Amino acid sequence: MAAVQTLSSSAVPTPPLLSASKRQTAAGGKPLIQVQNAGTANKKVSFDASKHLRFKEPSKVHTMAELGYAENRGVSPIGVSEPFPLFSPDAIQQMRAEVLGDEVWEKHQYSSELAQCQLRGFAPDCAPFVYDAWRNPEVLSIISKIAGVDLVPVMDFEIGHINISVQTEEEKNKAMAAVVERMNRDADEGEDIDPIVDWHTDSYPFVCVTMLSDCTNMIGGETALRCGNGEVVKVRGPQMGSAVILQGRYIEHQALRALGTTERISMVTSFRPRSSAIKDDTVLTTVRPISDLGELYLQFSEYRFEMLEERLRDMNRIIRDRKRARRQFDTRGVKQFIREQIAFLEHMDREIVQDDKVKKGVVDDSHLVSEDLRQQRSRKRARLAKH
Ligand SMILES: O=C(O)CCC(=O)C(=O)O
Ligand SMILES: [Fe+2]
C-alpha cells in the first residue's frame, strides 16, 4: 500500500478504519437534520453575489505536475486547490433549507455502490437559490480563475449534487470508540473501508465541493488523491461555506469518512470548459445509475450537439476564409477535423447506454484507472457479498 502524505499544512488526523461499521444514512427515509437557525430559511431570498459571497483566495493550488501527472492530461494544468471561503453563512443556511426540504428528499434521492445517499437533479425545480448561485457570473469567474480554465456548469442536472452522511449522537460515539479500539490493535491496513464516496474518477472535468455542514469537530473527511506515481495524498476538506476545486475526471480520489460529527453534507457541482474548442472527455459512468436517465441523456446530448454546431461553424469559417485569401484547401487539416468529430459522436453513442441496460445504483469499474484500486474494489465486493 502506498504511503499516505498530507498536502495541507494543517494537522488533520487520518480517519482510521472502522471494521464492521455501517454508516447510517437515509436509505429511503429522511433523517433528522437541523435545517436552519430560526426563520432565515423560510424567507425566499434571491442569490445576490454582493451579499452572499465571502470569497478569499485559496492558500495554494496544486498543479497536475506536482501530483505527478502530465500537464496535458486534463483540460488545465491545475489539479486541486486548498479549501477557500466562498459563501456567506446566510447563503449556506438558504442552500440547506432548499436542499433539505421534503420535496427534494421525496423526488431526488439516489444511492449507489460508491456512495450511500445522494440528492441529485433538484436545483432547477426545487432550489432556485442553489441554481442561481452556480450560474452566477461572479461565481463562475472565481471558479474559473482557480481552475485555470474558463468553466460553466456541465449541465443543469449536475448543479448542486449532494453527498449526505448522517448519524445519531450514539452512532457517532460508537464509531469513535471502534476507531480507538482498532488503533489499539494497530490494524491499520491503510484503507478506509467505509468512505463517504469510494475511489473513483469523476465523470466530469472539474468539480467544486462546497461544505454545507459544521465541521468544527470533524476528524477526517478529507479527500484522498492518488498521484501519478501511485502515492496517496490528502487534501484538507472544506469547512462550512468553504470549497475545494478538483480536476476530478483526471485524478482518482476518495472522500474519506468523517468522525466526530453527526452530519457531513457536501455539495458537488460539476463543470466543463466553456469553449467548444477544448476537448470534452465527459463520461456518464458514475452518474448513469443515479440519474433520471431521460433528463441526463437530454442534457448531455444538448450541450454536446451545441459544441458540435459551434465547431462546424468555426471550421466552415476557416475554410471560407482560406478560399477568400486564395489559399489551397487544407485537405489534411479538414480530414483530421472530420475524424475528431466522428470520435466525438462515437463517444456520445457509447455513453448513451440503452435505458434497459442501465442498472440503478450499480457502477462498473470504468471510473477506476489503477489496477490495484480495481483489485481493492473486487475484494470489497467479495467482503460485502459474504455479509
Ligand atoms: O463529498 C465530497 O467530498 C466529494 C466526493 C466526491 O468526490 C464526489 O462526489 O464526486
Ligand atoms: Fe468525485
Side-chain angles (χ1 to χ4, degrees):
M1 184 72 203
V4 177
Q5 294 174 353
T6 302
L7 278 179
S8 75
S9 48
S10 77
V12 183
T14 310
L17 290 169
L18 274 192
S19 49
S21 83
K22 260 282 137 269
R23 197 174 54 252
Q24 293 301 305
T25 56
K30 180 179 169 186
L32 269 181
I33 299 173
Q34 179 78 27
V35 172
Q36 70 201 70
N37 300 328
T40 32
N42 288 333
K43 281 188 268 142
K44 287 257 176 289
V45 179
S46 300
F47 182 80
D48 177 347
S50 69
K51 280 196 218 136
H52 294 123
L53 285 183
R54 285 284 185 284
F55 173 60
K56 277 211 198 90
E57 299 276 350
S59 59
K60 178 151 178 40
V61 288
H62 306 275
T63 62
M64 292 297 276
E66 282 165 356
L67 295 170
Y69 290 111
E71 287 246 334
N72 63 356
R73 177 179 170 89
V75 294
S76 155
I78 302 302
V80 64
S81 76
E82 288 291 330
F84 58 94
L86 183 58
F87 294 116
S88 72
D90 269 3
I92 295 297
Q93 287 314 322
Q94 196 60 38
M95 288 176 172
R96 285 178 62 95
E98 284 187 349
V99 167
L100 302 173
D102 288 341
E103 196 184 350
V104 173
W105 282 80
E106 276 156 27
K107 296 189 188 154
H108 300 277
Q109 191 188 341
Y110 297 88
S111 174
S112 82
E113 296 169 311
L114 281 179
Q116 281 191 13
C117 182
Q118 301 165 310
L119 304 171
R120 293 174 47 70
F122 55 82
D125 285 347
C126 306
F129 186 91
V130 169
Y131 186 63
D132 290 349
W134 291 113
R135 291 163 50 92
N136 180 274
E138 218 170 306
V139 172
L140 293 182
S141 153
I142 288 171
I143 305 292
S144 299
K145 268 197 202 112
I146 296 171
V149 55
D150 202 9
L151 296 175
V152 289
V154 68
M155 44 185 142
D156 281 1
F157 194 80
E158 295 296 342
I159 292 184
H161 162 116
I162 300 278
N163 291 325
I164 303 232
S165 167
V166 264
Q167 50 187 358
T168 63
E169 202 58 40
E170 192 190 341
E171 285 157 353
K172 178 187 92 176
N173 295 335
K174 250 199 210 152
M176 283 289 239
V179 165
V180 171
E181 193 243 345
R182 197 170 179 102
M183 275 159 89
N184 288 341
R185 277 192 284 130
D186 197 25
D188 193 338
E189 298 153 25
E191 206 181 289
D192 186 344
I193 58 168
D194 196 19
I196 287 169
V197 183
D198 211 345
W199 282 110
H200 65 285
T201 49
D202 293 334
S203 286
Y204 308 110
F206 265 99
V207 286
C208 179
V209 182
T210 307
M211 186 51 68
L212 300 188
S213 296
D214 179 0
C215 301
T216 322
N217 298 320
M218 187 162 88
I219 304 167
E222 309 102 317
T223 308
L225 306 180
R226 206 184 141 91
C227 297
N229 64 2
E231 255 179 45
V232 176
V233 295
K234 290 181 188 173
V235 273
R236 193 154 49 95
Q239 292 290 321
M240 199 170 196
S242 291
V244 163
I245 285 174
L246 170 69
Q247 195 166 189
R249 173 79 187 93
Y250 302 97
I251 304 172
E252 280 168 317
H253 58 281
Q254 184 190 37
L256 294 172
R257 200 158 36 89
L259 290 167
T261 56
T262 50
E263 67 152 66
R264 180 189 185 274
I265 303 179
S266 57
M267 180 180 278
V268 184
T269 298
S270 296
F271 296 89
R272 62 181 163 87
R274 188 189 290 272
S275 164
S276 65
I278 301 178
K279 67 174 175 177
D280 179 41
D281 290 331
T282 291
V283 289
L284 301 177
T285 13
T286 57
V287 291
R288 232 184 266 117
I290 48 166
S291 295
D292 174 336
L293 263 196
E295 204 53 53
L296 183 76
Y297 286 170
L298 181 149
Q299 293 184 21
F300 178 65
S301 307
E302 189 182 24
Y303 93 76
R304 296 270 297 194
F305 287 155
E306 270 171 17
M307 284 181 74
L308 202 53
E309 275 174 22
E310 273 180 42
R311 287 179 179 184
L312 294 174
R313 241 195 326 262
D314 290 346
M315 187 41 110
N316 246 344
R317 198 176 315 116
I318 289 168
I319 59 178
R320 283 192 204 111
D321 285 353
R322 278 182 79 93
K323 170 75 180 160
R324 257 179 234 120
R326 305 270 182 269
R327 295 181 44 203
Q328 247 203 335
F329 186 78
D330 176 14
T331 308
R332 192 185 298 269
V334 171
K335 281 179 77 67
Q336 165 76 16
F337 173 80
I338 292 170
R339 276 195 304 274
E340 280 167 13
Q341 306 327 306
I342 290 172
F344 183 91
L345 282 168
E346 278 175 349
H347 174 94
M348 284 180 77
D349 186 31
R350 275 194 305 277
E351 290 309 314
I352 300 177
V353 173
Q354 268 302 332
D355 302 32
D356 57 352
K357 300 222 163 60
V358 178
K359 266 172 104 184
K360 280 245 165 300
V362 179
V363 186
D364 67 21
D365 278 355
S366 51
H367 58 287
L368 292 174
V369 183
S370 315
E371 188 47 37
D372 59 329
L373 289 185
R374 284 173 188 251
Q375 283 173 10
Q376 187 176 309
R377 179 130 196 261
S378 49
R379 280 200 304 274
K380 188 167 180 173
R381 272 214 191 94
R383 215 161 40 216
L384 288 175
K386 267 196 235 149
H387 290 291

